[in-house]
Every structure is written in structure tokens, then in C-alpha cells.
């Protein structure tokens, strides 16, 4: 094929030269070109917010299965994450997502502004379980004893 590659019929030297020109133009315009998949916009904004506020530890209250904490890690947050989830089935999911992350711990109890017994309402997907009655079709109610947020020692 005489120096041509099967990439749209262009030679490799032409493709390399084109890549260099495009990269140089992008750098001058303050753009970054990368083969790595960039995090979704939500994760980038979250990371910017955490950096702006100098956050070095996150309390994930009502953690459900760990989705928010996972988004923190996707965003690049490297500090400790302490998750709280009182619903047993959700806590099992949370433990699976915590995996082998030594800076992510979980506790199977709820946090509230009051100590005492309470009923947590659970819903089909579990991501909106709450001490509040959010809608009349709560699937189950679990008796829990939330701890006051200012009385926990972690």
C-alpha cells in the first residue's frame, strides 16, 4: 500500500502530523484532549465544589446503596467517607459498594436531630426511604432508634 494505512486511506505520518496540529491548537485555546473518559458533568461540579469548600471528609447520611459515595469517588474525592444507612437491605447493598475502599466506612443506623425510637418508611426502590412520610404507598415501616447527629463518635 506504499506507506498508507487502512485508516481512511491516510498515511500514518499524515495522521500523526494532524494530531500534533490539533493538539497544539487545543492547548493554545486552553482545551484538553485526552483518550481517558472524562467524568460526567455532575461529578466534575461535585469535585469543584468539594475543592472550593476544602472538604476533607464526607458524612453520607441515608446512604441507601452507596450511590452518592460512589459518585464522590468518580469525581476524584480521595478523603474519608462515612456512610449511615439504617435499613437492613439497603445496608447490605452499601457494604457491597464499599468493597475494599479503606477510606469508606459504613454504620447501620440512622441520624436525626432527636434521639429516640422512630419508624422509617421504605419505598419500592429504596432510594427515598425516610423518617418522613413522603407518599402514602410506603411498603414497610421499620422501627429504628436514630442517634442524634451531635452525639455520634466516629
Amino acid at each position: 500500500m506504499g506507506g498508507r494505512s487502512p485508516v481512511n486511506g491516510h498515511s500514518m505520518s499524515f495522521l500523526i502530523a494532524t494530531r500534533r496540529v490539533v493538539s497544539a491548537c487545543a492547548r493554545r485555546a486552553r482545551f484538553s484532549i485526552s483518550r481517558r473518559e472524562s467524568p460526567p458533568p455532575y461529578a466534575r461540579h461535585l469535585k469543584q465544589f468539594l475543592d472550593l469548600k476544602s472538604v476533607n471528609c464526607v458524612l453520607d447520611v441515608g446512604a441507601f446503596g452507596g450511590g452518592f459515595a460512589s459518585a464522590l469517588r468518580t469525581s476524584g474525592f480521595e478523603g474519608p467517607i462515612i456512610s449511615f444507612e439504617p435499613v437492613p437491605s439497603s445496608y447490605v447493598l452499601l457494604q457491597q459498594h464499599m468493597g475494599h475502599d479503606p477510606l469508606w466506612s459504613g454504620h447501620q443506623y440512622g441520624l436525626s436531630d432527636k434521639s429516640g425510637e422512630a419508624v422509617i418508611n421504605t419505598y419500592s426502590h429504596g432510594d427515598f426511604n425516610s423518617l418522613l412520610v413522603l407518599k402514602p404507598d410506603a411498603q414497610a415501616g421499620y422501627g429504628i432508634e436514630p442517634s442524634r447527629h451531635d452525639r455520634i463518635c466516629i
Side-chain angles (χ1 to χ4, degrees):
M1 258 181 10
R4 300 256 175 204
S5 76
V7 183
N8 293 332
H10 295 288
S11 70
M12 286 305 288
S13 59
F14 173 78
L15 294 173
I16 291 169
T18 302
R19 184 181 321 155
R20 286 183 182 149
V21 170
V22 169
S23 294
C25 291
R27 276 192 306 276
R28 275 188 240 127
R30 294 186 174 196
F31 286 103
S32 174
I33 298 176
S34 172
R35 287 182 183 255
R36 291 178 302 171
E37 185 176 326
S38 63
Y42 166 76
R44 285 195 307 271
H45 293 295
L46 181 59
K47 177 69 169 130
Q48 289 170 351
F49 176 80
L50 295 172
D51 290 345
L52 179 69
K53 298 296 183 182
S54 300
V55 173
N56 60 9
C57 179
V58 172
L59 301 181
D60 181 16
V61 179
F64 179 51
F68 179 69
S70 294
L72 287 168
R73 289 294 186 238
T74 299
S75 76
F77 180 73
E78 296 176 346
I81 301 170
I82 305 164
S83 296
F84 300 90
E85 177 52 56
V87 177
S89 58
S90 297
Y91 188 72
V92 169
L93 287 172
L94 176 64
Q95 287 180 306
Q96 291 170 356
H97 281 102
M98 286 189 298
H100 302 291
D101 186 336
L103 293 177
W104 184 3
S105 62
H107 303 276
Q108 190 178 350
Y109 55 85
L111 297 182
S112 178
D113 59 344
K114 299 177 199 135
S115 291
E117 291 185 19
V119 173
I120 187 162
N121 299 292
T122 61
Y123 299 92
S124 58
H125 295 290
D127 51 348
F128 288 111
N129 295 340
S130 177
L131 294 175
L132 304 173
V133 177
L134 301 177
K135 54 185 182 176
D137 64 341
Q139 287 190 332
Y142 291 93
I144 63 168
E145 192 167 326
S147 299
R148 277 182 55 119
H149 56 80
D150 57 350
R151 293 191 179 159
I152 61 166
C153 181
I154 44 179

